[in-house]
Amino acid sequence: MRILNLDGRLSLAVRDGAVDVETASGGTFPADVMSVYERWDEFAQWARDFSGAPDRSLDDAAVGPPVPRPAQVFAVGLNYRDHATEAGLGLPDRPMVFTKFPAAVTGPYGEIVLPSDTVDFEVELVAVVGRRARNVVESDAWAHIAGLTAGQDLSDRAEQLSGPPPQQYNLGKSFEGFAPIGPALVTPDEFADPDDIALGCQLSGVQMQKGRTRDFVFSIPQLVAHLSRILPLLPGDLIFTGTPSGIGWVRDPRRTIAPGEELVTFVEGIGEMRHTFVAR
């Protein structure tokens, strides 16, 4: 099952098109995309039983973020072994968690404004919570995930690492547009193995990052269990699960994003995001 935000309306991918959920469900489910996460089990059953034809074609210009207004956005640092190695850091003994503010969320296509010349790219798999999670054990964690989507943890490194000590992770990663997600939310059952998914990104046509989520330090079930021991995870919350090696900041010379460049982000089974960057 693939969930889309088309022109701000909850939509379901159907064959080579999509269907407007409010119309197809006779108003059982409203058009507001966020409303579905509070009723995820009910909606998922309806969507799996739906057998109608698409009522619109897919147009990139219409596609918005599949979770436009999350209550909480968590992100995990150093969650790939090769990324920890390239950063010259040891593997963490528990998830290294920071946040991206929800106002940073944007869609999978379009322009993003560069606040400086120190903006870096970080392709990520993003898990979307579909059921309130509190003190969840790892074996039950996938049952609390509505689906997966692609994300970029864009980071203004100068702001992120300002200090001393460096304490601006949240702000440096939360400029407007710095949390693009999409193009669809895909339910875990659509993947051959939701714990082993390929992902990567290209900047101006050059492959920068490439990895597989089987190389996580902490799996999605481990992240859900860890976070839910501390606070409730709410329907529609986002968990950015970390980035593989290849980020620009540790390259020699450093490679950050310049105005006019295009960043293409790919996650297997979900699709591509494409963003161009403009100067402030």
Side-chain angles (χ1 to χ4, degrees):
M1 181 169 59
R2 299 175 67 87
I3 306 305
L4 299 163
N5 173 354
L6 298 181
D7 291 323
R9 297 182 63 85
L10 177 63
S11 303
L12 177 68
V14 178
R15 296 190 288 277
D16 57 351
V19 65
D20 183 87
V21 169
E22 183 178 46
T23 301
S25 70
T28 298
F29 301 100
D32 179 27
V33 181
M34 288 305 303
S35 67
V36 73
Y37 296 108
E38 291 284 355
R39 302 168 60 187
W40 183 256
D41 290 339
E42 180 186 2
F43 170 75
Q45 186 60 57
W46 174 86
R48 291 189 177 98
D49 291 342
F50 180 77
S51 58
D55 58 18
R56 67 176 298 174
S57 59
L58 296 180
D59 177 3
D60 289 354
V63 181
V67 188
R69 301 184 308 280
Q72 304 180 107
V73 181
F74 303 95
V76 183
L78 300 180
N79 203 29
Y80 286 79
R81 293 168 177 82
D82 57 1
H83 178 48
T85 298
E86 72 175 356
L89 299 170
L91 296 180
D93 58 6
R94 61 177 179 174
M96 192 188 99
V97 180
F98 55 93
T99 62
K100 293 172 77 73
F101 295 116
V105 171
T106 192
Y109 312 113
E111 289 186 345
I112 296 174
V113 175
L114 291 170
S116 73
D117 62 358
T118 60
V119 176
D120 204 350
F121 45 85
E122 295 188 33
V123 59
E124 309 218 3
L125 179 69
V126 180
V128 180
V129 177
R131 183 185 297 169
R132 188 181 189 274
R134 184 74 171 110
N135 295 316
V136 172
V137 297
E138 289 180 30
S139 59
D140 293 337
W142 273 114
H144 291 78
I145 296 300
L148 304 172
T149 192
Q152 270 285 343
D153 175 21
L154 295 171
S155 308
D156 186 324
R157 298 300 190 194
E159 181 71 26
Q160 173 191 346
L161 300 173
S162 63
Q167 293 181 332
Q168 300 300 323
Y169 267 69
N170 300 349
L171 288 177
K173 291 170 172 285
S174 294
F175 285 89
E176 185 175 9
F178 270 30
I181 58 172
L185 178 144
V186 181
T187 52
D189 59 294
E190 293 285 328
F191 297 89
D193 182 352
D195 291 304
D196 183 15
I197 298 171
L199 72 170
C201 70
Q202 296 181 349
L203 184 61
S204 293
V206 178
Q207 188 83 43
M208 293 293 175
Q209 292 183 277
K210 186 176 182 181
R212 299 195 70 92
T213 61
R214 67 187 178 208
D215 296 323
F216 279 157
V217 178
F218 301 100
S219 68
I220 288 175
Q222 288 175 310
L223 295 176
V224 169
H226 175 74
L227 290 168
S228 71
R229 282 196 297 270
I230 297 168
L231 79 172
L233 302 182
L234 307 175
D237 282 356
L238 304 180
I239 305 173
F240 281 70
T241 58
T243 196
S245 64
I247 65 168
W249 196 247
V250 299
R251 291 173 178 262
D252 186 15
R254 284 179 176 166
R255 180 67 166 93
T256 53
I257 302 171
E261 292 200 285
E262 180 184 53
L263 180 65
V264 177
T265 304
F266 170 78
V267 177
E268 178 185 21
I270 296 171
E272 283 187 353
M273 301 195 299
R274 298 186 299 277
H275 296 94
T276 55
F277 292 82
V278 296
R280 170 175 284 181

